[in-house]
Amino acid sequence: MQKIIILDFGSQTTQLIGRRIRELNTYCEIVPYNKMPYDDPDVIGVVLSGSPFSVYDSKAFRTELNRLRGVYPLLGICYGAQFIAREYGGTVEPADSREYGRALLSEVNDADPLMKDIHPGSQVWMSHGDTITSLPEGFMIIASTDQVPIAAFRAPDEKMWGVQFHPEVYHSECGMQILRNFVVDICGSTQSWSAASFIESTVRQLKEQLGDDKVVLGLSGGVDSSVAAVLLNKAIGRNLTCIFVDHGMLRKNEFADVMRDYEGLGLNVIGVDASKKFFADLAGVTEPEKKRKIIGRDFIEVFDEEAHKLSDVKWLGQGTIYPDCIESLSITGTTIKSHHNVGGLPEKMNLKLCEPLRLLFKDEVRAVGRELGMPERLITRHPFPGPGLAVRILGDISPEKVAVLQEADHIFIQGLRDWNLYDKIWQAGTILLPVQSVGVMGDERTYERAVALRAVTSTDAMTADWAHLPYDFLAEVSNKIINKVRGVNRVTYDISSKPPATIEWE
Ligand code: XMP
């Protein structure tokens, strides 16, 4: 399968380059700057990402350009462009005025294949403190802005380009066209990567990899584990057993609703109500990390016990997705961890790991789910933390508190759906606060609990902004919660962004 390699020099937008190339129905992989797969015959082009470093910094990441040059079409973005320019004799210097944000292309050589259909006046997104002040001999300028004469360049008679702006960010209006020009016209992508082709090839590979082996997979109700299960089910049918553990801190009716969805999908699911065990172990515990540890440990115990009732299981299926696996770069050094959804399980159970979604971005997981015919409500469900409402009840947890929170949360989430707001936000939830406040209902003084509503917009949960929900909507939800949920007499709305706050309160 054709692929583009993105060499990661540590920029925050590297993943975005990957997503944009995938949007062009072209498979790509992000690898650390020093891990180029030179032996891979499927590589059709290489992109060099941006970086937090300056090229003249002694610690700056470097790659062996001479091993790439002339072998693959190359596109350097920001630092990548400066790196190419400097390696071959150009000059990169701190810019007089740092360039951040919008800029307009003032001149464009649209005879150049990278600049095909790009016009002066197009908006691009700049983000760099350095600028290329002179190009290597023979290199040509192919686009400029008023501030940056060398906004884009190419090497003569060979397939090597650099752009100092970021075509991958959505604010670069012509960015997608530039990436298309590179990926499709220059590298020759046949644009055959799609959800359907992914399903076909993955099912084939899973059949080969697993043969008659048995697989166990933990379902959470979330989109990733659900899509992984349906894909595995398509490949190996009854040899897949799924386990869905109810720890008692799911949303209102969620266990029953999701079990019904799973059964409708033909999955072989064992639902385990382990809420008593979780509540008993959590009684009196207030410290957030301790709660998480107890829930993680109990989950592994319950899962392990259930899995041991099955005979002959060799594999643990997981819904790990690409952003969880990309080896990201830290500024000081090289590799970071790879993440497992259920840390510790494979080792404890002595199972091999099978992660069929490990190459997909979240939006691609959703596309695969749709292609597999899964219900929309499973596919578009908001992310929900593994420990569930336990991290949304500040302080100690009891079944009674969970019941109060479930009711309030249900009104909020149903309201978002009724007002057509649910799909516009990344994630929403309700938090039960450990405070009581005075109120008045009818003629009576009340002294009851407060809840906070939290709704955020985000693309990856790394950063998030509070959602600017309409006042009328908030008023309606607040009224309903206070009138209908016994024990709550005050509703607040959380207007903190991440950073410095986090999405969850605990
Ligand atoms: P924070 O609160 O760190 O959350 O801004 C970022 C995203 O991660 C989810 N989250 C969790 N997911 N186990 C999970 O499976 C957890 O312990 C956990 N804590 C936070 C959170 O809902 C958000 O989507």
Side-chain angles (χ1 to χ4, degrees):
M1 176 176 44
Q2 291 183 319
K3 67 174 85 156
I4 299 277
I5 293 293
I6 301 159
L7 291 182
D8 181 15
F9 291 85
S11 164
Q12 292 188 347
T13 60
T14 303
Q15 272 202 40
L16 206 46
I17 304 174
R19 286 179 53 174
R20 303 293 259 165
I21 292 177
R22 296 272 183 98
E23 280 172 33
L24 291 166
N25 297 104
T26 303
Y27 181 66
C28 60
E29 283 177 16
I30 297 170
V31 300
Y33 65 97
N34 55 358
K35 301 247 176 87
M36 176 68 202
Y38 292 106
D39 303 335
D40 188 336
D42 294 334
V43 178
I44 57 169
V46 177
V47 176
L48 284 70
S49 85
S51 172
F53 285 115
S54 290
V55 284
Y56 41 77
D57 196 316
S58 61
K59 291 200 204 100
F61 298 142
R62 310 170 59 77
T63 198
E64 293 176 89
L65 259 187
N66 282 337
R67 290 186 71 185
L68 302 172
R69 186 178 187 180
V71 181
Y72 311 102
L74 296 181
L75 174 65
I77 293 178
C78 197
Y79 173 95
Q82 293 162 358
F83 181 69
I84 291 174
R86 190 156 188 267
E87 281 294 289
Y88 296 117
T91 321
V92 178
E93 294 175 278
D96 287 342
S97 56
R98 285 176 162 246
E99 277 255 322
Y100 289 106
R102 290 180 178 76
L104 299 180
L105 293 180
S106 53
E107 279 177 52
V108 178
N109 175 0
D110 64 0
D112 184 88
L114 190 71
M115 290 293 143
K116 188 186 84 178
D117 294 333
I118 308 294
H119 306 292
S122 285
Q123 176 178 296
V124 292
W125 193 259
M126 292 283 186
S127 168
H128 53 84
D130 297 333
T131 197
I132 302 170
T133 46
S134 73
L135 283 174
E137 203 172 320
F139 280 38
M140 293 168 299
I141 296 176
I142 54 171
S144 312
T145 71
D146 283 343
Q147 299 288 322
V148 181
I150 308 173
F153 66 81
R154 79 165 294 179
D157 306 321
E158 60 178 305
K159 294 182 174 181
M160 183 157 74
W161 285 262
V163 291
Q164 287 209 87
F165 50 88
H166 286 274
E168 70 278 19
V169 308
Y170 294 94
H171 305 287
S172 286
E173 289 165 354
C174 56
M176 203 56 187
Q177 181 64 35
I178 290 177
L179 291 175
R180 179 190 305 278
N181 291 342
F182 181 70
V183 168
V184 182
D185 295 355
I186 294 171
C187 298
S189 163
T190 52
Q191 296 190 281
S192 41
W193 167 260
S194 66
S197 72
F198 170 82
I199 293 169
E200 193 203 305
S201 62
T202 306
V203 166
R204 198 176 344 107
Q205 283 161 16
L206 287 171
K207 281 184 173 155
E208 271 169 34
Q209 180 187 23
L210 302 171
D212 288 329
D213 288 355
K214 297 214 167 103
V215 180
V216 64
L217 178 142
L219 287 169
S220 68
V223 60
D224 301 344
S225 63
S226 305
V227 172
V230 176
L231 205 50
L232 274 161
N233 189 46
K234 199 171 161 77
I236 61 165
R238 292 275 122 183
N239 276 343
L240 170 70
T241 306
C242 303
I243 298 177
F244 183 20
V245 177
D246 182 1
H247 51 34
M249 287 154 288
L250 297 170
R251 294 193 136 120
K252 185 179 175 183
N253 299 336
E254 183 151 34
F255 188 66
D257 289 351
V258 172
M259 279 299 282
R260 205 171 315 115
D261 282 342
Y262 285 151
E263 277 155 17
L265 286 165
L267 295 177
N268 172 20
V269 190
I270 301 172
V272 189
D273 177 0
S275 49
K276 281 210 179 82
K277 174 183 172 68
F278 283 85
F279 280 126
D281 292 347
L282 284 166
V285 179
T286 55
E287 213 267 306
E289 278 314 297
K290 209 163 167 201
K291 287 188 198 171
R292 273 203 168 76
K293 289 224 167 75
I294 292 170
I295 293 171
R297 185 202 64 202
D298 282 5
F299 179 86
I300 290 178
E301 275 175 29
V302 173
F303 190 90
D304 194 33
E305 195 183 318
E306 288 301 321
H308 269 98
K309 294 181 190 161
L310 310 168
S311 56
D312 230 13
V313 175
K314 293 215 169 65
W315 299 82
L316 177 72
Q318 284 195 340
T320 317
I321 68 170
Y322 200 39
D324 301 331
C325 317
I326 296 173
E327 272 190 82
S328 47
L329 298 167
S330 74
I331 302 304
T332 46
T334 38
T335 59
I336 312 263
K337 59 183 178 157
S338 87
H339 156 112
H340 295 306
N341 283 339
V342 190
L345 257 182
E347 295 80 5
K348 178 167 167 62
M349 300 177 67
N350 199 16
L351 295 175
K352 292 185 272 187
L353 259 188
C354 174
E355 298 174 312
L357 307 179
R358 60 179 295 117
L359 298 176
L360 300 192
F361 290 104
K362 192 90 177 179
D363 42 353
E364 294 174 312
V365 173
R366 295 202 165 107
V368 167
R370 285 197 182 96
E371 187 72 29
L372 288 165
M374 294 171 62
E376 203 56 25
R377 64 180 170 278
L378 260 188
I379 291 170
T380 55
R381 175 163 294 168
H382 287 167
F384 186 66
L389 301 182
V391 292
R392 295 183 181 167
I393 294 174
L394 308 196
D396 69 313
I397 294 159
S398 66
E400 177 259 336
K401 286 185 185 173
V402 169
V404 170
L405 182 56
Q406 278 178 335
E407 290 305 321
D409 181 68
H410 181 67
I411 290 171
F412 182 32
I413 300 298
Q414 193 54 46
L416 287 168
R417 289 195 185 281
D418 294 345
W419 282 61
N420 260 339
L421 294 165
Y422 185 87
D423 292 330
K424 297 195 171 82
I425 58 180
W426 168 265
Q427 168 170 15
T430 310
I431 297 99
L432 189 67
L433 305 180
V435 290
Q436 281 174 282
S437 75
V438 173
V440 53
M441 273 190 183
D443 293 332
E444 273 180 53
R445 175 186 185 275
T446 59
Y447 186 55
E448 290 175 340
R449 294 205 176 93
V451 296
L453 308 178
R454 179 84 164 130
V456 296
T457 54
S458 177
T459 48
D460 52 13
M462 301 293 286
T463 61
D465 194 9
W466 59 278
H468 294 216
L469 295 175
Y471 282 176
D472 289 348
F473 166 76
L474 290 170
E476 183 180 295
V477 169
S478 163
N479 254 332
K480 276 196 183 158
I481 291 178
I482 294 173
N483 285 325
K484 292 195 175 160
V485 184
R486 288 193 139 219
V488 175
N489 69 351
R490 198 170 291 270
V491 174
T492 64
Y493 187 52
D494 180 352
I495 53 167
S496 328
S497 59
K498 172 183 180 177
T502 49
I503 295 175
E504 305 294 345
W505 279 43
E506 281 197 341

